[in-house]
Amino acid sequence: MDLAYLRAHPEHLPTFLTHQRIRETPVSGGDICVASRLTLDDGHSVFAKTWPEHAGRPLPEGFFAAEAAGLRWLREAGAVPVPEVVAALPELLALDWVEPGEPTPAAAERFGRELAALHRAGAPARGAEWTGFIGALPQDNTPGAGPWPEWFARRRLLPYLRMSVDNGALAGGRAALVEQVIDRIGELGGDEPPARVHGDLWPGNLLWGADERVWLVDPAAHGGHRETDLAQLALFGGAPHLDLILAAYQEVWPLADGWPARIPLHQLHLLLVHTALFGGAYADAVGTAARAALQGRRRATVDG
């Protein structure tokens, strides 16, 4: 099987893998899927993701189709590099292979400018036309045309708060803090037209390529708020050269006044996803972000 054959007949890929007709090398692929590098007969490589047999839960319907739709939509903007979808099947996803490199200041600055261009490509509405997932969890992409804060509270905060309470990860004071954020969301979040966002842009979903560019992978793409992507870049240790990324972004499309105070609000979504998926290990981070979001609004009111 060469790349041309795979593009023409992607449905044959599982059979070739089952019969070990393609060289398969395990690679890092995140916490949800099993990832491998497939080396084809013509020397090309592709990156493949499959649902692990030991996951303890069935493969959600439309899981890989949703990721493929998001990748294609982000790629259509012609802004940030996004791997091309080679095969999107119910049981696997195969993408063009991107040779990894090291983070550099030049790549960070270019990425900041390109991310601003991606966001500026916009979206017809908040949400998306395809079923959404974030990690292994469903994400409600029901399109909405109203103000962003109310949409964010209903589609991005409340569902994962409920999951986190139900699984015992959040209780008492921390859950009450998130409820306060949801109740006061109209005061906390600055409204903007929908941007074309990655939606799960923690630093692990940046692929620093050998071509001195930053590639976007593993999206939960939708029409959202551009500050959400930027806030997520600061989570879990922060992206390399984050100061350069933000400075270059601001040169292309300056952020609205008060955006630093809104960072915890935008981070709260992904932190709640972590308590819903992984349990109480992230409960303190959720409480800290919710408290900071509420305090950030109070500081803004005093300063104003």
Side-chain angles (χ1 to χ4, degrees):
M1 176 179 277
D2 58 22
L3 186 59
Y5 183 91
L6 176 57
R7 291 185 188 280
H9 305 282
E11 70 279 2
H12 293 175
L13 181 56
T15 301
F16 275 74
L17 289 173
T18 299
H19 294 286
Q20 299 182 338
R21 297 282 301 278
I22 299 175
R23 191 173 76 188
E24 185 175 7
T25 307
V27 295
S28 176
D31 299 318
I32 305 300
C33 292
V34 174
S36 57
R37 179 176 184 170
L38 308 181
T39 304
L40 306 179
D41 290 340
D42 60 359
H44 283 96
S45 291
V46 297
F47 175 85
K49 297 171 66 170
T50 58
W51 188 259
E53 295 180 1
H54 59 274
R57 69 183 91 177
L59 171 64
E61 183 178 354
F63 181 78
F64 290 120
E67 182 172 345
L71 288 165
R72 289 169 175 145
W73 187 61
L74 296 176
R75 186 178 169 87
E76 284 172 4
V80 184
V82 178
E84 183 178 355
V85 175
V86 176
L89 304 174
E91 67 272 37
L92 67 81
L93 179 68
L95 311 174
D96 269 345
W97 178 262
V98 177
E99 193 64 32
E102 296 297 325
T104 65
E109 290 179 351
R110 182 170 182 174
F111 171 61
R113 294 189 292 269
E114 292 175 337
L115 184 61
L118 173 68
H119 289 165
R120 257 191 164 153
R126 310 187 199 287
E129 296 298 329
W130 53 86
T131 300
F133 289 91
I134 187 160
L137 297 177
Q139 181 158 267
D140 188 351
N141 275 344
T142 302
W148 173 82
E150 287 75 13
W151 182 89
F152 186 70
R154 182 178 180 185
R155 308 293 183 193
R156 295 295 181 262
L157 298 184
L158 188 56
Y160 305 105
L161 171 61
R162 288 172 175 164
M163 292 181 199
S164 300
V165 170
D166 289 346
N167 71 9
L170 290 181
R174 295 188 185 96
L177 281 169
V178 178
E179 289 171 352
Q180 288 183 51
V181 171
I182 291 172
D183 290 342
R184 297 180 54 197
I185 193 74
E187 307 168 36
L188 303 178
D191 192 23
E192 284 195 352
R196 188 170 304 214
V197 301
H198 178 283
D200 189 9
L201 201 57
W202 71 286
N205 285 340
L206 299 183
L207 177 52
W208 298 78
D211 58 355
E212 287 279 319
R213 300 187 76 183
V214 180
W215 294 69
L216 296 185
V217 296
D218 294 338
H222 63 279
H225 200 303
R226 61 193 180 119
E227 290 178 17
T228 302
D229 272 356
L230 296 170
Q232 290 174 347
L233 284 173
L235 285 170
F236 313 129
H241 309 297
L242 181 57
D243 56 337
L244 298 179
I245 294 172
L246 292 174
Y249 186 104
Q250 292 267 50
E251 290 176 4
V252 175
W253 192 11
L255 294 161
D257 291 344
W259 68 269
R262 293 188 292 273
I263 290 174
L265 171 66
H266 289 274
Q267 292 177 337
L268 191 53
H269 166 230
L270 197 52
L271 293 172
L272 285 169
V273 168
H274 276 68
T275 51
L277 264 176
F278 305 117
Y282 293 92
D284 284 346
V286 166
T288 298
R291 190 176 296 109
L294 295 166
Q295 291 173 347
R297 174 57 186 168
R298 283 198 287 271
R299 284 198 303 269
T301 300
V302 171
D303 292 344

